[in-house]
């Protein structure tokens, strides 16, 4: 049974900010994946989280740096 005070508190899931993510399939070099998995074990963060952070860092840097010549 809910009391009045229970109803006045926001649900835990509603209090969290919504994070938008999209599931994709991506092919990475074995060496790249091995490095991220190793970093994952060292840091305790998931390797997909680390890949996402690296991409965000690169995109942020790309806004302030000229694109590298290929």
């Amino acid at each position: 049974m809910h009391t009045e005070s229970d109803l006045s508190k926001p649900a835990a899931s509603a209090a969290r900010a919504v994070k938008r993510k999209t599931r994709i399939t991506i092919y990475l070099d074995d060496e790249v994946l091995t490095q991220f998995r190793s970093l994952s074990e060292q840091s305790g963060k998931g390797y997909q989280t680390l890949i996402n952070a690296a991409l965000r860092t690169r995109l942020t840097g790309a806004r302030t740096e000229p694109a590298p010549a290929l």
Side-chain angles (χ1 to χ4, degrees), residues 3-66:
T3 65
E4 224 176 283
S5 63
D6 291 338
L7 298 177
S8 66
K9 296 178 185 176
S13 61
R16 287 189 235 154
V18 175
K19 288 189 176 183
R20 296 281 199 200
K21 295 198 177 199
T22 302
R23 178 182 293 259
I24 64 165
T25 300
I26 185 171
Y27 290 93
L28 300 173
D29 294 339
D30 290 339
E31 297 83 14
V32 170
L33 190 54
T34 299
Q35 286 287 333
F36 275 102
R37 285 183 170 157
S38 177
L39 289 170
S40 173
E41 289 177 12
Q42 294 170 20
S43 69
K45 294 181 180 179
Y47 73 93
Q48 292 177 346
T49 298
L50 295 174
I51 292 170
N52 195 64
L55 290 170
R56 280 186 177 277
T57 298
R58 176 61 182 106
L59 290 174
T60 301
R63 291 183 191 138
T64 58
E65 300 172 9

